[in-house]
Amino acid sequence: MSSNVRPETMARITTPELANAFIEEQVAEVRAQVGDKKVLLALSGGVDSSVVAALLIKAIGKQLVCVHVNHGLMRKGESEQVIEVFGKELDANLIYIDATDRFLDLLAGVEEPEKKRKIIGGEFIKVFDEEAAKLEGISFLAQGTIYPDILESDGVKAHHNVGGLPEDMAMELVEPVKLLYKDEVRVVGEALGLPHAMVYRQPFPGPGLGVRCLGAITRDRLHALREADAILREEFDNCGLAEKVWQYFIAVPDFKSVGVRDNKRYEGWPAIIRAVNTKDAMTATIEEIPYSVLHKITDRITHEVEGINRVLLDLTPKPIGTIEWE
Ligand code: XMP
């Protein structure tokens, strides 16, 4: 297996030319490592696993088997994009598993954040494991490990995250971007032809909307959260904030307040807007959103999303608030 230490002579990949040279080198290396064997990859749709998928498709085509598990806690359109880009455009060997019911049934009535995380992480491994067991002749496991993962942990993609895989999966690893920093992974992703929005996607926690649908998750509130979040993202795209803000999302708590709609009492949940800037997620500052944009978002969410009757803005920096509400 190749070294886990980035050579000091390795130039930072900042241009398409450098990215293409890296891609050619990795394609050759992966082909030499894998031969005619099969490789399995858990494809979440995040930046790292997407870039690894595109790179491996280029290197070994259908010898790569991608498994995308939809845990029902993805943002609007995300699983659809994975199917469109990898299943259709790149013609990958893609297995799509809609495990929404399994996850939401297990999460029903569970209020405690850590318990919710454990359930989501544990079930993810189970679903992936079951799928892997059905496949024959898989010799390698590909992972989207990047250099900060190696520097910050034991070198295996963050175990606390969804996508952490069972330790007893006795397969040799294929980790073509393990010596790259995040900005380099993005440049490589664009050179591989992945959509800009996928490659520059804002950070999204492994347990997904599960940490933003506060308290015990219900399907109706999760649906409202997903729709409100999609409106926020659309309006941030429209006004240019999407390119500027590090992370922005909606959280929906599990209580209602009274409101009025069509001259009738209308009880609904509040949608809380959070938009922060940070370098390393250890501290964060609040982005100033123009009032006109806030009014537009409020108007759209309260009129278009069933179940939401107020929109609030979180002005708390980290510390003292964490980025996620959880
Ligand atoms: P907090 O809420 O601790 O979040 O200020 C810091 C950053 O971490 C992200 N986050 C996660 N990322 N898996 C991840 O990959 C997770 O389980 C997870 N939980 C939180 C959060 O979105 C923020 O960017």
Side-chain angles (χ1 to χ4, degrees):
M1 223 201 294
S2 56
S3 164
N4 273 352
V5 181
R6 183 174 169 123
E8 279 187 16
T9 50
M10 187 170 158
R12 194 88 171 194
I13 300 171
T14 51
T15 63
E17 292 72 32
L18 289 169
N20 284 328
F22 173 84
I23 291 164
E24 289 315 316
E25 188 190 292
Q26 284 306 316
V27 163
E29 221 168 273
V30 167
R31 283 181 184 155
Q33 184 189 2
V34 168
D36 60 1
K37 304 272 180 19
K38 282 191 191 162
V39 182
L40 180 63
L41 170 72
L43 176 58
S44 68
V47 179
D48 306 335
S49 68
S50 295
V51 173
V52 166
L55 189 56
L56 294 185
I57 290 165
K58 191 175 167 83
I60 56 169
K62 302 262 180 186
Q63 284 165 253
L64 174 72
V65 182
C66 301
V67 175
H68 176 69
V69 177
N70 178 356
H71 51 22
L73 302 163
M74 307 290 282
R75 286 176 296 192
K76 190 170 180 177
E78 276 183 325
S79 284
E80 291 80 356
Q81 188 184 38
V82 168
I83 295 169
E84 181 63 34
V85 171
F86 292 99
K88 296 194 182 141
E89 287 170 26
L90 295 178
D91 193 26
N93 206 342
L94 172 70
I95 298 173
Y96 170 68
I97 304 159
D98 183 354
T100 302
D101 287 338
R102 278 178 70 158
F103 282 83
L104 296 188
D105 288 350
L106 279 176
L107 287 164
V110 183
E111 290 176 12
E112 209 184 293
E114 281 310 310
K115 254 194 204 155
K116 286 163 69 180
R117 275 182 179 270
K118 281 219 174 74
I119 290 172
I120 297 166
E123 192 62 9
F124 185 91
I125 289 172
K126 240 186 180 173
V127 173
F128 188 80
D129 228 2
E130 281 172 21
E131 218 45 48
K134 288 185 207 159
L135 300 168
E136 278 177 17
I138 302 277
S139 313
F140 296 87
L141 184 68
Q143 289 202 137
T145 311
I146 67 172
Y147 206 44
D149 299 327
I150 290 178
L151 296 178
E152 286 160 23
S153 73
D154 58 359
V156 178
K157 187 92 188 173
H159 276 157
H160 71 275
N161 207 352
V162 171
L165 297 170
E167 313 227 342
D168 61 358
M169 268 195 175
M171 283 189 269
E172 195 182 317
L173 295 179
V174 179
E175 300 178 298
V177 300
K178 73 178 176 185
L179 296 184
L180 302 192
Y181 289 100
K182 195 82 177 191
D183 53 301
E184 299 178 287
V185 176
R186 294 196 159 111
V187 178
V188 168
E190 287 226 290
L192 284 163
L194 289 177
H196 184 83
M198 190 174 239
V199 170
Y200 283 87
R201 198 173 94 137
Q202 54 168 317
F204 186 56
L209 298 181
V211 302
R212 300 176 183 168
C213 192
L214 310 177
I217 298 168
T218 57
R219 285 169 198 254
D220 52 356
R221 196 157 49 87
L222 179 63
H223 180 72
L225 162 61
R226 183 177 284 121
E227 294 298 319
D229 185 71
I231 291 173
L232 179 78
R233 288 194 284 144
E234 210 177 295
E235 292 304 326
F236 267 40
D237 273 335
N238 289 342
C239 72
L241 277 173
E243 296 281 321
K244 208 178 141 219
V245 181
W246 196 79
Q247 195 172 22
Y248 49 95
F249 56 85
I250 297 280
V252 178
D254 57 347
F255 61 79
K256 287 184 171 179
S257 69
V258 71
V260 57
R261 182 183 275 182
D262 303 327
N263 290 324
K264 276 193 240 114
R265 187 182 163 97
Y266 183 74
E267 289 186 356
W269 304 289
I272 301 163
I273 300 175
R274 188 121 175 92
V276 300
N277 288 314
T278 177
K279 281 213 157 57
D280 55 10
M282 301 299 289
T283 63
T285 56
I286 298 304
E287 175 70 25
E288 301 220 344
I289 309 169
Y291 263 90
S292 56
V293 176
L294 288 170
H295 283 302
K296 174 101 189 277
I297 292 168
T298 303
D299 186 63
R300 283 198 58 196
I301 291 180
T302 51
H303 284 91
E304 293 175 32
V305 183
E306 181 68 33
I308 304 262
N309 68 350
R310 288 173 200 264
V311 175
L312 315 180
L313 176 63
D314 182 356
L315 287 174
T316 321
K318 176 180 180 178
I320 189 152
T322 48
I323 294 176
E324 299 292 345
W325 270 60
E326 191 125 11

